[in-house]
Amino acid sequence: MNEDVKQDASIENKNTTEDSTAIKKDLSKEAEQSNSDLEVIESKVRTVGIGASAGGIESLEIFFKHLSSSTGLAFVVIQHLDPKRKGLMREVIQRFTEMSVFTATDLTKVVSNTVYVIPPNKNIAILNGTLHLFDLASKEGLRLPIDYFFNSLANDNDKDGIGIILSGMGSDGSMGLKAIKTRGGYALVQSPSSCKYESMPQSAIKSVPADIVGPPEILAKKLLNIISHDRPSSILTTGLALDENAIEKIIVQIREQTGNDFSQYKKSTLQRRVERRMNIHQITNINNYVRFINENPSEAEILFKEILIGVTSFFRDPDIWKKLRESIIPTLLNQNQEKKVLRIWIPGCSTGEEAYSFAIILQEAIEDLGLKTRFTIQIFATDLDEQAVSVARKAKYASSIEQNVSPHLLKKYFITEGDRYRVKGEVRQMVIFAVHNVIKDPPFSKLDFLSCRNMLIYMQSGLQKNLMYLFHHSLLEKGILILGNSESINSLNELFIPIDAQSRIFKRGKFRRSSLDLFDLPSSYYKPATHENMKAPEKAAENLEVLTDKLLLKQLSPAGVLVNSQGDILYFIGSTASYLEPAVGKANLNVLSMAKENINTILPSAIRKAKKNFDKVNLHNVKVKRDKTTQLVAISVQQIEAPISLRGKFLILFNDEPKTRKKTGTSATEGNQNIVKISELEQELLEVNQELQNTTEEMQTSEEELKSTNEELQSTNEELQSTNEELTTSKDEMQSLNEELQKTNLQLKIKIDDAIRASSDMNNLLNSGELATLFLDKHLKIRHFTPYATKIFNLIPTDIGRPFTDISMGLSYPTMLADAKEVLRSLIFIERSVKNSQDDSWFKVRIMPYRTIDDRIDGLVITFINITSNKQLEQRLADAERVISFYTNNVSNVMIKLSPEWEIKELNEKAEEYFNIKSADFLKKDFFDTFCEESAQEKTKVEVEKLLKMALPNSVLAFSTISIFDKQKVNWNALKINDENGVVINIMLTIED
């Protein structure tokens, strides 16, 4: 039995103080409640945790590219991030999927079809569908964010939890994935062969039987299959309600395949495990699943391991270990100082963490009490799962144990081997691991301490009661029993007395023998006998043919044995005492050791001959001593070809040779007796010669085989030398490659620093110019924005990844989306001047294609330039122009506005009337060409320009011309208008009255 987490306990034992009979629930009642529970299950968003590390970006890309954007799931991606650098995982993942991708924030409610990415320097957890962020406990040391989230996901989503482990280094995620599996969730792991870094997937596969192992694209496909066929409580409401014997049939199939009986386990526990396997294989009817197991025997083995899945760790439930360390164990050690031996049994030890925790805490207590050299500790740790026991024996654990073991104990009791920890020999020697079925195998006895935590919760009340009697029998007087948080002694108060009821620590009680009921533990295959009916069942009468066959076999069957290729006896046939006898010393069932004299010398060669083919090897007249006489024996050895289950085994049969009857009477002379004796000696000599010849032939054969083996070894040695040379060359190449990698790493570091510097320069450039800029991807989702853009749009950092049209803004630009799409289509930029209705400011909006370094269009760049001051200046100029125009057109004088080059810019209405001309006909014409006689034009222009140069700024200058229109003299007043720098910008002319 493996240890498990508290989830099953919360389902099976909701009130640990209740009687075990109250724990049983009616199956039909659960089926009725399942309909009301189904609505709650469906309303909750199912969350998938994805753990990745080194090489994980490539795996995430393949996974999301093969995943539909409408799965109805929420995804939380947990990757090992550098806490000192800003994470870019959100932007990276957004390229691979059409789902919305966000960097997780505290108190975010998960939404379906959305991806959430862990931020740097944070741990993330989920509770009631809401994400919670936590600061790391320390800035340095081991960080296991994947385990942290997976454990919370297992508690929050229960059997709907799904954990995925992708490429990465280390072992993060293994324990969390185990927690998800224990709750009935699904474990998906990328196949190591498809990983860039395989440490994380390999660790996960070793820690828990993964439901699906494959490359990322297969994981995506299988995930969709699981979701489409995963219906909560489908088994309870369909298959089991219709066929209550289906689970019993599955139990029988598991028993036949593995030899382990789960008939006295709680059906609800088995149902949840069966339901998971049905969903994985997309089987909707439990009777079909029964047939599937029958057709696929390996499925029974997988289901067996599923049932045994447990979560354990070093010093699990720290409060209990603290109480053991401070009071229980010191008291126990003091009570056993006289016998100097302490015996402990831990059934259901799983992968050994609890057993080693006991060993460590005992070592610490012994040192504190100064008893180290006077005590012998024997810890028996057993489990039904052979694979878990194998892991425990290796005493090698992932680096994640740093979470539960203090640095002091790690340094004192563990050895670092790569990225793993191995328990030191002094602790390992204290623990004896064994595969053991607590239900059917004999228990350990004379125990001082027994720890059975979270194993009984999976068993029916009758079996729980039997095991409590067994534990009582195993413990010595004053022995200590500790149970799991969700377990109790029920009504057996006469067996155990509570020491600390809250911690489930009990002391073996004294009781009257009459109060102890007799009990039977079930065997591996048969149900326990009841006390009411101890009478053996009557056997069916055998027919005459069967009885006769048995009698003939008993009378005529020769003695013999069935052995394997090493000579180990597997089965005895008839009475073999005349030919075999136990060897002196340690028990040994090898036929070569047990064979009597003479048989043991010829039997090895006969077996070697029989190995060559399936022909029978016969030996005759082998002398065997019996008491004071000698018996001749015939021996046959044959390798078995069929049936297939016995193929490769050997059948050895023994038969006594018939004795030649001696003649009676006085006619036998002494000469005749000598002739008979000589004949016997000659026969014996022939047999010895034959045996010697056989031995010689075997020696020659062995010599040839040894020569051949020697040549093979020499060849192998040469290959090893060649391989060694190649390895040496490879070492040099690797060293050279390592130097190149170091150089490349340095170059990359320089490039990264340059990129960071360039990014900083760009940010400073964009910020210094107060330039508002939006960077959009090809789907018009926000990729980046400058801080100044927040003054135009209501933007916050988490808006990255959202369509820019979802963000409110104050600009009066209704065609902005249409213009953006047009630029993407035509790749021609668009520029608009738009007004901000919130503060009457103006912006010049320029929409341009975003071009990458390799000249690919990958979105848009939208810049917003504040032109409010320009607009205000234009408005003032327009107002001034209107005022001047109004003034010039409403005065009584003739007025003409000229440029510094004497081009006519404007004539007022009085001038048009005075000269009887139209202003529009003379604009941009030379003043002197228009109003002066041709003969005086050049002279007049030179004189007037000379006067203007000599005149002071804004001073009036008078000059005269002869008008072309009426040949009369016209007296002009000229006003030179300068700007603030003294440059002439206009000349105003008026005619004197």
Side-chain angles (χ1 to χ4, degrees), residues 269-282:
T269 300
L270 300 176
Q271 288 164 5
R272 286 194 297 274
R273 301 297 192 256
V274 170
E275 181 182 359
R276 289 191 69 264
R277 298 303 302 173
M278 289 177 62
N279 289 332
I280 291 171
H281 294 296
Q282 303 171 24

Side-chain angles (χ1 to χ4, degrees), residues 602-622:
I602 63 172
L603 200 55
S605 61
I607 293 176
R608 284 194 294 271
K609 285 182 181 180
K611 285 182 179 180
K612 296 178 181 179
N613 49 51
F614 295 100
D615 296 334
K616 183 183 294 186
V617 178
N618 294 311
L619 304 174
H620 296 283
N621 298 322
V622 179

Side-chain angles (χ1 to χ4, degrees), residues 912-926:
E912 291 179 343
E913 180 182 348
Y914 184 85
F915 293 107
N916 193 23
I917 60 177
K918 294 293 185 181
S919 175
D921 297 335
F922 294 93
L923 293 178
K924 294 188 178 181
K925 291 188 177 181
D926 187 78

Side-chain angles (χ1 to χ4, degrees), residues 584-618:
V584 178
K586 186 178 179 181
N588 189 345
L589 286 180
N590 191 281
V591 69
L592 302 179
S593 300
M594 296 182 65
K596 288 189 174 182
E597 188 179 355
N598 290 342
I599 296 179
N600 59 2
T601 59
I602 63 172
L603 200 55
S605 61
I607 293 176
R608 284 194 294 271
K609 285 182 181 180
K611 285 182 179 180
K612 296 178 181 179
N613 49 51
F614 295 100
D615 296 334
K616 183 183 294 186
V617 178
N618 294 311

Side-chain angles (χ1 to χ4, degrees), residues 406-678:
S406 67
H408 167 70
L409 295 181
L410 277 175
K411 184 177 180 181
K412 188 173 181 181
Y413 296 108
F414 292 84
I415 301 171
T416 304
E417 294 186 358
D419 60 345
R420 303 178 74 83
Y421 286 98
R422 184 186 292 277
V423 178
K424 284 187 176 180
E426 61 188 76
V427 177
R428 175 66 185 89
Q429 292 172 2
M430 296 170 63
V431 187
I432 300 171
F433 290 100
V435 178
H436 180 274
N437 190 332
V438 71
I439 299 175
K440 70 173 185 177
D441 293 334
F444 293 87
S445 60
K446 298 181 180 180
L447 301 173
D448 300 291
F449 196 104
L450 196 155
S451 173
C452 180
R453 300 205 293 157
N454 295 337
M455 183 183 78
L456 300 178
I457 55 175
Y458 300 109
M459 301 175 180
Q460 295 178 5
S461 58
L463 181 55
Q464 289 183 8
K465 184 176 181 180
N466 277 355
L467 289 179
M468 295 306 294
Y469 282 132
L470 183 144
F471 293 162
H472 185 276
H473 170 76
S474 298
L475 286 167
L476 292 170
E477 186 179 353
K478 297 182 181 181
I480 302 297
L481 170 69
I482 179 170
L483 300 177
N485 290 333
S486 301
E487 298 168 333
S488 67
I489 60 173
N490 297 319
S491 59
L492 304 176
N493 296 323
E494 75 277 10
L495 297 180
F496 296 98
I497 302 170
I499 296 177
D500 187 330
Q502 183 177 0
S503 299
R504 304 294 191 272
I505 302 175
F506 305 89
K507 181 173 68 173
R508 185 183 189 272
K510 295 181 179 180
F511 60 94
R512 294 192 303 269
R513 174 60 61 180
S514 58
S515 68
L516 179 60
D517 294 333
L518 296 176
F519 67 95
D520 279 328
L521 293 177
S523 67
S524 180
Y525 289 97
Y526 300 102
K527 292 184 178 180
T530 59
H531 300 300
E532 291 81 3
N533 185 16
M534 297 297 292
K535 185 179 179 180
E538 294 183 3
K539 295 183 179 180
E542 296 178 298
N543 58 36
L544 187 61
E545 181 181 359
V546 173
L547 292 173
T548 304
D549 289 342
K550 287 185 176 180
L551 182 61
L552 288 173
L553 287 173
K554 185 175 182 180
Q555 295 292 329
L556 303 177
S557 175
V561 289
L562 181 70
V563 301
N564 59 18
S565 58
Q566 285 77 41
D568 297 325
I569 299 175
L570 305 177
Y571 189 77
F572 287 93
I573 304 168
S575 177
T576 59
S578 299
Y579 317 102
L580 306 176
E581 61 183 1
V584 178
K586 186 178 179 181
N588 189 345
L589 286 180
N590 191 281
V591 69
L592 302 179
S593 300
M594 296 182 65
K596 288 189 174 182
E597 188 179 355
N598 290 342
I599 296 179
N600 59 2
T601 59
I602 63 172
L603 200 55
S605 61
I607 293 176
R608 284 194 294 271
K609 285 182 181 180
K611 285 182 179 180
K612 296 178 181 179
N613 49 51
F614 295 100
D615 296 334
K616 183 183 294 186
V617 178
N618 294 311
L619 304 174
H620 296 283
N621 298 322
V622 179
K623 291 183 179 181
V624 178
K625 290 183 179 180
R626 290 184 186 169
D627 297 330
K628 297 180 179 180
T629 63
T630 300
Q631 175 65 44
L632 298 180
V633 177
I635 302 174
S636 68
V637 181
Q638 184 176 19
Q639 185 178 184
I640 300 174
E641 184 175 8
I644 192 67
S645 58
L646 295 180
R647 188 180 180 91
K649 307 295 189 298
F650 294 84
L651 183 63
I652 304 175
L653 299 178
F654 305 97
N655 274 305
D656 287 351
E657 295 278 13
K659 295 182 179 180
T660 57
R661 186 174 296 178
K662 295 182 179 180
K663 294 181 180 181
T664 60
T666 59
S667 59
T669 64
E670 184 177 351
N672 291 334
Q673 292 178 359
N674 291 335
I675 293 172
V676 172
K677 191 172 183 180
I678 291 170

